Amino acid sequence: MSKSIFFTGQPILNQLLNLIDKSKVKALARAGKYDHYYKHFDTYTHLITMLYSTLNKCTSSREVVSGMKACSHKLGHLGILKAPGKSTLCDGNKNRSSDIFEQIYAFLYLEHSKLLPDSRAVNNQKLFIADSSTITLFQEILGAAGRSRLNGKEKAASRCIL
């Protein structure tokens, strides 16, 4: 009787890592020499760290590192010896090329594309982009937009659809 790897009691990070072939990530990093200047913070550890930060909605490198250190007893199950330091993580994000992560994504997409629903396929569809960033407007330029304030400055959202 074989066990299923899609056990619902497993954490999401562990379920994601079950889909990633660690040896393939290490082979891609070795082929492109992406781990050449790193002793302890290899590409696989960097990938796990970034997945951890995304899934835990971390907003700073300090938050990522302190969260991983708090879970240091569980890192061995993920294939990491120890949590990276803050400067190590920042240096890795700054200096390691994003090409390796593009290659990992392409490999994972080819390997697991059959699991994705067909509705994700884009067949010559137009792309509509909406920008709703807040900008400061002056009454002389766009007097009808936004709310009026006593100082004459107004704020509104600019929306453009291409």
Side-chain angles (χ1 to χ4, degrees), residues 24-159:
K24 180 66 176 178
V25 172
K26 290 190 177 277
L28 287 171
R30 193 172 34 255
K33 297 183 180 178
Y34 293 105
D35 291 338
H36 189 65
Y37 294 107
Y38 299 97
K39 292 180 182 177
H40 302 289
F41 194 61
D42 62 345
T43 302
Y44 186 74
T45 305
H46 196 172
L47 177 66
I48 292 174
T49 304
M50 299 314 294
L51 286 172
Y52 174 85
S53 71
T54 302
L55 292 174
N56 287 305
K57 299 177 184 171
C58 297
T59 57
S60 68
S61 56
R62 178 171 289 150
E63 198 174 343
V64 173
V65 171
S66 62
M68 288 185 79
K69 285 184 179 178
C71 300
S72 61
H73 60 285
K74 297 179 182 179
L75 295 179
H77 299 291
L78 301 177
I80 299 177
L81 298 175
K82 65 176 189 168
K86 190 170 85 94
S87 62
T88 305
L89 174 61
C90 292
D91 289 344
N93 285 339
K94 179 181 172 188
N95 297 329
R96 183 172 276 131
S97 175
S98 62
D99 294 342
I100 182 64
F101 298 109
E102 181 181 345
Q103 293 172 15
I104 292 169
Y105 173 79
F107 165 72
L108 290 172
Y109 183 77
L110 287 174
E111 188 173 316
H112 300 291
S113 60
K114 60 188 172 288
L115 299 175
L116 296 173
D118 293 337
S119 62
R120 290 184 156 225
V122 178
N123 299 323
N124 296 328
Q125 296 177 358
K126 290 185 179 180
L127 176 66
F128 293 96
I129 300 173
D131 180 16
S132 62
S133 56
T134 303
I135 57 173
T136 302
L137 304 174
F138 294 94
Q139 194 169 14
E140 298 86 27
I141 299 172
L142 295 172
R147 292 182 297 142
S148 298
R149 293 162 90 192
L150 295 176
N151 62 2
K153 293 184 179 181
E154 300 178 2
K155 287 193 173 185
S158 170
R159 290 180 181 86

